[in-house]
Amino acid sequence: MTEDANAVESLWEEVRELSFGTSVERLDSPPSPLDFLRRFVSANKPCIISNAVSHWPALSLWPDHNYLTRSLSDSLVSLHLTPDGRADSLVPLSSGSPCFASAHVERVPFPRALQFVLDSSSKSEEASTRDPSVAYLQQQNDCFREEYSNLSGDCDPHIAWATEALGCPPEAVNLWIGNHLSETSFHKDHYENLYAVVSGEKHFLLLPPTDVYRMYIRDYPAAHYSYDLEGGKFRLEMEEPARFVPWCSVNPYPSPETKKVEVSKFPMYFNGPKPFHCTVRAGDILYLPSMWFHHVRQSPDERGCTIAVNYWYDMQFDIKYAYFNFLQSIHHRPRSSRSRLEDLDEDADEDEDE
Amino acid sequence: MTEDANAVESLWEEVRELSFGTSVERLDSPPSPLDFLRRFVSANKPCIISNAVSHWPALSLWPDHNYLTRSLSDSLVSLHLTPDGRADSLVPLSSGSPCFASAHVERVPFPRALQFVLDSSSKSEEASTRDPSVAYLQQQNDCFREEYSNLSGDCDPHIAWATEALGCPPEAVNLWIGNHLSETSFHKDHYENLYAVVSGEKHFLLLPPTDVYRMYIRDYPAAHYSYDLEGGKFRLEMEEPARFVPWCSVNPYPSPETKKVEVSKFPMYFNGPKPFHCTVRAGDILYLPSMWFHHVRQSPDERGCTIAVNYWYDMQFDIKYAYFNFLQSIHHRPRSSRSRLEDLDEDADEDEDE
């Protein structure tokens, strides 16, 4: 099997040398549809376009929370609540083994929902004296066109050059309003993604689909948080009947205390080529190609929010997708992973003894 | 290893189900650059465009040999001579093992060169009473723009919608004038290929790059034919110092006598999914995507010639190419190929005994 493991590791290196380089390319202005299709979509290669949405009224209007609450005074929006800002993430059960936990979702009037986001942003400072939830306004089901239709005039209904390149209108447009605690764990989508930041900054970690083994995708039992708004308490409920969700096992930002153990559990992630890291600022668009693994954190604007709109376009299920499935289906063992793991376990044991 | 073999076979099936279908798509008219790039180049998927070059003066002018010899009366052109019409193909040495044999190439005035092609087209009927060579006018080194520049006004200097899609002018334009005996063995090119037929028909067998194992690419010692134009004799000369050329081992059209042995030697080719077969007629363009394996035969027009012009555009070395190299680098054994081979060898023995 060592031969195949070498082949997989060579693939990680070669695709970077041939095509992706070491950082995400930044364009000064929107590309032509042909250029975008040729250099990025066809090559399944990300890019950031500076000033891609600087002309949107949203950029000056939305940082003003009075404007938002006025425009959406009667709108019911989907509020996602978690104890720590991490929805759709792995949470250890009392048994110690992790489950895949979804947020508690509640439809509330926008003004109240926004207040949740703002209140929970100060949570870390004020500890647990107040509401213990972290709120994230999002719903990956075309929520911008459904729940936030009153804001539709503030941005373009689609990204014109992308729509022309991809040959279809977006399948879904989603709005995201969160604070510095909101974090999205590593996952991939079966969509071409145009991700526009309106206020604050988004920090992405990106890994190409060639690196699928480095994500340690495993099946986890599905659970969801249930939150008592009055009592201010979360309960984690396993889905019944049990359902298993394949999800990435890697947390790219382990705490200093757990780092050694995490590195020993996921050596291909931590010891392989660095993930692509990029920051998307207000006015920028990130082209996040289909099937790329991404992890997202955010920095708020001065009023405490990060606001973004993303456009999901249908992807082509072509030879690239067939190659990806092939890669995933071969029986891959990392080179000397066993001995590495054993070495690290021994180290860990020694540490505990000290 | 069986697991990986299954994975490879699933890849052959899946890429057809997802993207390629069972036959080469035919368009009624040239696509827009965006459409061509999105549906075919990005997907690495072939297509035939009917009436793509019907407007070329070449279509009416070139079938007239008087026109050609008049226009090229002083032009020196590259004439490729082989004993059987198969250049760049595998030829068994006296030891029984095959070498990779290139044609004898000679620069001769066009009128004489064309006569060689026409004379050799009647070779099979008149047996070996006359010149035993098969002639093919071709040179894959931009020969149309070099040797045949007097004809440049008869066709477009590039394929406009392809140039716009691919973002660059063609790297090479080649002219091909042959007869029904000329045949090109299975191989692939690192170019996007726009192949226009002017007169007669070209018959292609196509296999996608995912099917690389089905080609049984092996290293063969390089040789070239040397032809004595006066004596009318071929000598096959091994290159000194020895050079090895990786080449496809499969002859897709074995004679009835050798078919059983060929099938037993190359079971993945003969027992796998059918290759894409297509006929490109005068006025048509075949888009032959980069890295696709192709085998070419031809039918002449009523005057005995098949004439074609092909445009090579630079390909992108992107994630598709990295995946291809990965596929090629894994250690693949066909499922139960050994037992299959042994079964067939036994059958063959039995036949000989009968």
Side-chain angles (χ1 to χ4, degrees):
Chain A
M1 293 314 304
T2 311
E3 252 176 84
D4 287 1
N6 284 345
V8 171
E9 291 179 14
S10 299
L11 173 61
W12 304 341
E13 301 287 353
E14 193 185 18
V15 76
R16 287 163 171 80
E17 279 164 23
L18 284 174
S19 180
F20 300 146
T22 52
S23 61
V24 175
E25 196 170 332
R26 188 175 269 273
L27 311 181
D28 287 336
S29 57
S32 72
L34 268 172
D35 204 41
F36 177 57
L37 188 54
R38 187 193 307 123
R39 291 171 56 202
F40 301 103
V41 182
S42 172
N44 197 238
K45 177 179 173 172
C47 63
I48 298 176
I49 302 102
S50 299
N51 307 310
V53 297
S54 307
H55 60 286
W56 284 2
L59 261 82
S60 55
L61 293 174
W62 293 3
D64 173 2
H65 297 166
N66 289 331
Y67 171 80
L68 289 179
T69 49
R70 224 168 34 238
S71 304
L72 300 164
S73 55
D74 297 326
S75 303
L76 281 179
V77 299
S78 298
L79 177 69
H80 286 231
L81 296 171
T82 56
D84 53 10
R86 294 176 191 165
D88 289 355
S89 73
L90 301 180
V91 175
L93 295 166
S94 51
S95 68
S97 65
C99 70
F100 173 79
S102 308
H104 173 95
V105 183
E106 184 117 5
R107 297 256 291 179
V108 299
F110 176 80
R112 187 170 172 218
L114 181 63
Q115 202 53 51
F116 261 97
V117 173
L118 295 170
D119 284 353
S120 62
S121 81
S122 51
K123 187 191 163 204
S124 58
E125 287 91 43
E126 302 182 22
S128 52
T129 53
R130 38 189 309 151
D131 189 324
S133 67
V134 175
Y136 199 4
L137 289 179
Q138 61 128 323
Q139 188 72 14
Q140 292 178 59
N141 191 16
D142 207 24
C143 74
F144 183 64
R145 297 191 287 202
E146 300 290 331
E147 301 179 353
Y148 296 88
S149 58
N150 287 359
L151 300 180
S152 62
D154 299 341
C155 15
D156 292 333
H158 62 131
I159 307 299
W161 44 270
T163 299
E164 202 178 332
L166 299 165
C168 56
E171 183 67 23
V173 185
N174 302 311
L175 182 72
W176 311 73
I177 303 180
N179 60 46
H180 71 286
L181 294 168
S182 304
E183 189 173 318
T184 305
S185 66
F186 263 125
H187 69 288
K188 66 176 189 311
D189 299 308
H190 291 75
Y191 288 102
E192 305 293 353
N193 199 341
L194 278 289
Y195 207 111
V197 173
V198 174
S199 197
E201 295 179 347
K202 291 264 183 182
H203 311 289
F204 286 83
L205 287 179
L206 304 173
L207 273 192
T210 50
D211 292 31
V212 58
Y213 287 109
R214 301 180 61 201
M215 295 279 88
Y216 295 84
I217 297 171
R218 305 285 180 266
D219 285 331
Y220 293 99
H224 59 265
Y225 285 112
S226 176
Y227 186 63
D228 174 5
L229 266 80
E230 304 309 313
K233 283 232 166 67
F234 280 99
R235 264 206 332 266
L236 189 56
E237 293 173 347
M238 301 307 295
E239 281 191 22
E240 300 269 3
R243 184 174 66 97
F244 287 83
V245 177
W247 204 254
C248 301
S249 303
V250 176
N251 168 15
Y253 297 113
S255 66
E257 299 79 43
T258 59
K259 176 136 193 197
K260 202 167 188 176
V261 173
E262 294 292 301
V263 171
S264 76
K265 278 160 74 182
F266 311 117
M268 287 190 285
Y269 178 81
F270 287 101
N271 302 331
K274 275 203 200 320
F276 294 84
H277 180 278
C278 63
T279 290
V280 188
R281 300 190 184 86
D284 295 347
I285 280 183
L286 167 67
Y287 165 56
L288 203 173
S290 55
M291 307 298 287
W292 275 62
F293 298 96
H294 50 289
H295 179 280
V296 196
R297 298 197 298 179
Q298 42 202 347
S299 307
D301 60 19
E302 56 200 9
R303 290 171 179 111
C305 279
T306 311
I307 310 181
V309 181
N310 86 292
Y311 299 76
W312 264 346
Y313 289 84
D314 282 339
M315 66 174 279
Q316 275 208 49
F317 292 90
D318 60 14
I319 193 172
K320 294 188 280 282
Y321 187 74
Y323 274 133
F324 173 79
N325 284 340
F326 166 70
L327 170 62
Q328 247 199 329
S329 71
I330 69 160
H331 193 67
H332 172 63
R333 290 265 180 285
R335 188 166 42 176
S336 44
S337 67
R338 262 194 67 78
S339 55
R340 242 190 233 155
L341 267 167
E342 282 159 7
D343 290 352
L344 284 157
D345 279 353
E346 278 166 25
D347 289 355
D349 287 348
E350 279 169 25
D351 284 353
E352 282 176 355
D353 290 344
E354 277 163 17
Chain B
M1 291 315 303
T2 311
E3 251 177 85
D4 287 2
N6 284 345
V8 171
E9 291 179 16
S10 300
L11 173 62
W12 304 340
E13 301 287 353
E14 193 184 18
V15 76
R16 287 163 170 80
E17 279 164 25
L18 284 175
S19 179
F20 301 145
T22 53
S23 62
V24 176
E25 194 169 334
R26 189 174 269 273
L27 311 181
D28 288 335
S29 58
S32 72
L34 268 172
D35 203 40
F36 177 57
L37 188 55
R38 186 193 307 124
R39 290 172 54 201
F40 301 104
V41 182
S42 173
N44 197 237
K45 177 178 172 172
C47 64
I48 297 176
I49 301 101
S50 300
N51 306 311
V53 298
S54 308
H55 61 287
W56 283 3
L59 261 82
S60 56
L61 294 173
W62 294 2
D64 173 3
H65 296 166
N66 290 331
Y67 172 81
L68 288 179
T69 50
R70 224 169 35 238
S71 304
L72 299 163
S73 56
D74 297 326
S75 304
L76 282 179
V77 299
S78 297
L79 177 68
H80 286 230
L81 295 171
T82 56
D84 53 9
R86 293 176 191 166
D88 290 354
S89 73
L90 300 181
V91 175
L93 295 166
S94 52
S95 68
S97 65
C99 70
F100 173 79
S102 307
H104 174 96
V105 183
E106 185 117 3
R107 296 256 292 178
V108 299
F110 177 80
R112 187 170 172 216
L114 181 63
Q115 203 52 53
F116 261 96
V117 173
L118 295 169
D119 285 354
S120 62
S121 82
S122 52
K123 188 192 164 200
S124 58
E125 287 88 44
E126 303 182 23
S128 53
T129 54
R130 38 188 310 152
D131 189 323
S133 67
V134 174
Y136 200 4
L137 289 178
Q138 60 127 320
Q139 188 71 16
Q140 292 177 57
N141 191 16
D142 207 25
C143 75
F144 183 64
R145 296 191 289 202
E146 301 289 332
E147 301 179 353
Y148 296 88
S149 57
N150 286 359
L151 300 180
S152 61
D154 299 342
C155 15
D156 292 333
H158 63 130
I159 307 300
W161 43 270
T163 300
E164 202 177 332
L166 299 166
C168 56
E171 182 67 22
V173 185
N174 302 310
L175 181 73
W176 310 74
I177 303 180
N179 60 47
H180 71 285
L181 294 168
S182 304
E183 189 173 318
T184 305
S185 65
F186 263 126
H187 70 287
K188 67 176 189 309
D189 299 308
H190 291 75
Y191 288 101
E192 304 294 351
N193 198 342
L194 277 289
Y195 207 112
V197 174
V198 173
S199 196
E201 294 179 348
K202 292 263 183 183
H203 311 288
F204 286 83
L205 286 179
L206 304 173
L207 273 192
T210 49
D211 292 32
V212 58
Y213 286 109
R214 302 181 60 201
M215 294 280 88
Y216 296 84
I217 296 171
R218 304 286 181 266
D219 285 332
Y220 293 99
H224 60 265
Y225 285 113
S226 176
Y227 185 63
D228 173 6
L229 266 81
E230 304 310 313
K233 284 234 167 64
F234 279 99
R235 265 208 329 268
L236 189 55
E237 294 173 346
M238 302 306 295
E239 280 191 23
E240 301 268 2
R243 183 173 66 96
F244 287 83
V245 177
W247 205 254
C248 302
S249 303
V250 175
N251 168 16
Y253 298 113
S255 67
E257 299 80 43
T258 59
K259 174 133 194 199
K260 202 165 188 177
V261 173
E262 294 291 301
V263 170
S264 76
K265 278 160 72 183
F266 311 116
M268 287 190 285
Y269 178 80
F270 287 100
N271 302 331
K274 275 203 200 319
F276 295 84
H277 179 279
C278 63
T279 290
V280 188
R281 301 190 183 87
D284 294 348
I285 280 183
L286 168 67
Y287 165 56
L288 203 172
S290 56
M291 308 297 289
W292 275 63
F293 298 96
H294 50 290
H295 178 280
V296 196
R297 298 198 299 180
Q298 42 202 347
S299 307
D301 61 20
E302 57 199 9
R303 291 170 178 112
C305 279
T306 312
I307 311 180
V309 182
N310 87 292
Y311 299 76
W312 265 346
Y313 288 84
D314 282 340
M315 66 174 279
Q316 276 209 49
F317 292 90
D318 60 15
I319 193 172
K320 294 188 280 280
Y321 186 74
Y323 273 133
F324 173 79
N325 284 340
F326 166 70
L327 171 62
Q328 247 199 328
S329 71
I330 69 159
H331 194 66
H332 172 62
R333 290 264 181 287
R335 188 166 42 177
S336 45
S337 66
R338 261 193 68 78
S339 55
R340 241 188 233 158
L341 266 168
E342 281 159 7
D343 291 352
L344 283 156
D345 279 353
E346 276 166 28
D347 288 355
D349 286 348
E350 279 167 26
D351 284 352
E352 281 175 355
D353 289 344
E354 277 164 16

